[in-house]
Amino acid sequence: MKSLFYTILIIGGAFLAYDYFGAPPGKKLVFKSLNPPVKPKALPVKPAEEEKPVVVVKESPPPPVKPVMVEKPVEKAPAPKSESVSSGPKFEPIEALTGNWLKIPASAFPREVKLMQDAMFKMSVGSSKIAAGGKAYALAAENGVLTLAPTASSPARAQLPVDGTDLKAQLNESYEKWKITRAEELKAIAANKRQSQPEASVADASPSSSEVEADGKPVRDSTSGYPLLIASMKRGQITEIKPENVTSWQDPQPTVIQGKPGWAVKVGCNVKTVFGLQPTEAQALVLNGKVVGWYYTGSGEEVP
C-alpha cells in the first residue's frame, strides 16, 4: 500500500512538473493562469460601400402662361311675344313698389290714417297726445317711420313706425283695386294694338338711314334720342311709355333675338303705378332695323 501511495505521488508530481514547465502555452491544465489570454475571434470586416455623389437635377421653370382673353358673351334677349297670346299683366307685389315699406313713394301722402298706438305730437308751445284708435294725417315716410300731424294744417308733428298705423292696410286695398282697373285698361290697349297691327307693320316696313345704320343699329338724333324707338312709341307699338316720359337713353348693345344678331336699347322712363308715375327701366329689341318688342328689364314682362 505504501508503495502504491509513493507511486501515485511520484506520477502526480511528474504531471505537475510537466504542466508547469513542459506544457506549451495555452495547453496547461492545472496552471491555467500561465496560459496567455484568449484573443477574441476577429470577425471579417465588410468594406464600406463607396458613397455615390447625389446628383441634383435642377427643374426648369414652367413656361409663362399667356392670359386668355375671354370674350363677354352676348346677352340673349327675351323672345318677342305674340300679341294674340297673353297670360295677363304681371303686377309686382306692393312690397317691391315700396322697398319693403322702407321707401314709400311721396305720392302716397298726405292721407288720413288710423293710429294703432298712442302718438305724442310736439309743437313750439307744448305737446298733445292722440290715443290709439284716433285719426291723424300721415305726411311723409322715411325708412319705415311716418311723420304725422293731428290735422292736415297743424304744425304739430309726431313720428310712428308704419306698423303703428293702418297705412299698410290702406295701401294694400288701394293697390288691389288699382290692379283690377289696370288689368282692364291693358286688355283694351292690347285689343287696340291687334286691330292696328297690319297698318303698323306697313309703316315699319322700311326704316330710313337716319333711324338705323347698315347693320341695323339704331341711330341717335340731335336730342340723343333714337328716332326708330320714338316712332315705335308714337305709332302705338307701346302705350305704357311715352316719349315725353323718357328720362334717359342708353347706348345700343348687341344681343341675340330669335337666334339672330340684334340690338337692345335700354330706356329710363316714368310709368303709371298705383302711386302715380314712378321711375323704371325698359329695353327695346331691334332686329333687322325694326323694333320687335319692348320689355321691362327688371321683371322681363312685355311693356303694354
Side-chain angles (χ1 to χ4, degrees):
M1 290 297 293
K2 197 179 278 190
S3 60
L4 179 60
F5 173 77
Y6 285 119
T7 299
I8 294 172
L9 182 62
I10 291 171
I11 293 172
F15 177 76
L16 292 173
Y18 171 77
D19 189 66
Y20 186 85
F21 294 105
K27 301 294 185 180
K28 299 181 185 294
L29 299 177
V30 178
F31 301 99
K32 291 181 179 182
S33 60
L34 299 178
N35 290 327
V38 179
K39 295 182 179 180
K41 187 178 180 181
L43 296 176
V45 180
K46 185 178 180 180
E49 294 183 0
E50 182 181 356
E51 293 185 1
K52 296 181 180 181
V54 179
V55 179
V56 178
V57 179
K58 186 177 181 181
E59 296 183 359
S60 58
V65 179
K66 295 182 178 180
V68 179
M69 301 299 293
V70 179
E71 293 185 1
K72 183 179 179 182
V74 177
E75 182 180 354
K76 188 175 181 180
K81 300 178 183 178
S82 172
E83 289 292 343
S84 60
V85 179
S86 176
S87 59
K90 177 182 178 182
F91 295 104
E92 296 288 344
I94 195 168
E95 286 78 12
L97 299 178
T98 60
N100 202 24
W101 301 103
L102 296 177
K103 296 179 180 179
I104 303 174
S107 56
F109 306 103
R111 71 172 56 229
E112 189 178 46
V113 294
K114 180 180 179 180
L115 302 181
M116 312 302 292
Q117 62 187 66
D118 297 348
M120 185 63 69
F121 292 86
K122 297 180 180 180
M123 50 187 175
S124 59
V125 294
S127 62
S128 62
K129 183 178 78 171
I130 297 180
K135 300 283 187 176
Y137 278 83
L139 303 178
E142 184 175 0
N143 295 325
V145 178
L146 295 177
T147 298
L148 304 170
T151 65
S153 59
S154 174
R157 296 290 183 266
Q159 288 190 327
L160 283 181
V162 173
D163 289 332
T165 72
D166 69 340
L167 180 65
K168 282 187 179 181
Q170 285 193 39
L171 294 183
N172 271 306
E173 182 180 0
S174 298
Y175 188 47
E176 293 304 316
K177 291 180 179 179
W178 178 84
K179 287 195 294 185
I180 296 174
T181 303
R182 182 60 174 160
E184 293 299 324
E185 181 182 349
L186 294 178
K187 286 181 182 179
I189 292 173
N192 291 333
K193 288 173 66 175
R194 284 194 295 270
Q195 293 177 359
S196 60
Q197 188 66 37
E199 181 181 351
S201 298
V202 172
D204 195 33
S206 302
S208 66
S209 59
S210 62
E211 293 180 329
V212 297
E213 297 179 359
D215 58 357
K217 180 179 179 181
V219 175
R220 290 181 185 266
D221 61 14
S222 58
T223 66
S224 296
Y226 294 93
L228 182 70
L229 274 61
I230 294 173
S232 170
M233 298 177 193
K234 288 184 176 180
R235 68 171 174 267
Q237 189 172 0
I238 56 172
T239 59
E240 183 80 355
I241 303 175
K242 304 292 185 181
E244 59 268 22
N245 292 336
V246 174
T247 58
S248 64
W249 305 89
Q250 297 189 24
D251 293 332
Q253 299 297 323
T255 188
V256 177
I257 305 171
Q258 300 176 347
K260 301 177 182 179
W263 299 92
V265 183
K266 292 183 178 180
V267 176
C269 54
N270 292 317
V271 297
K272 186 186 297 184
T273 73
V274 65
F275 301 113
L277 291 177
Q278 295 295 319
T280 189
E281 183 183 73
Q283 67 176 354
L285 302 183
V286 179
L287 180 64
N288 297 327
K290 302 176 183 178
V291 178
V292 295
W294 286 83
Y295 297 86
Y296 291 115
T297 57
S299 64
E301 285 292 302
E302 191 171 11
V303 178

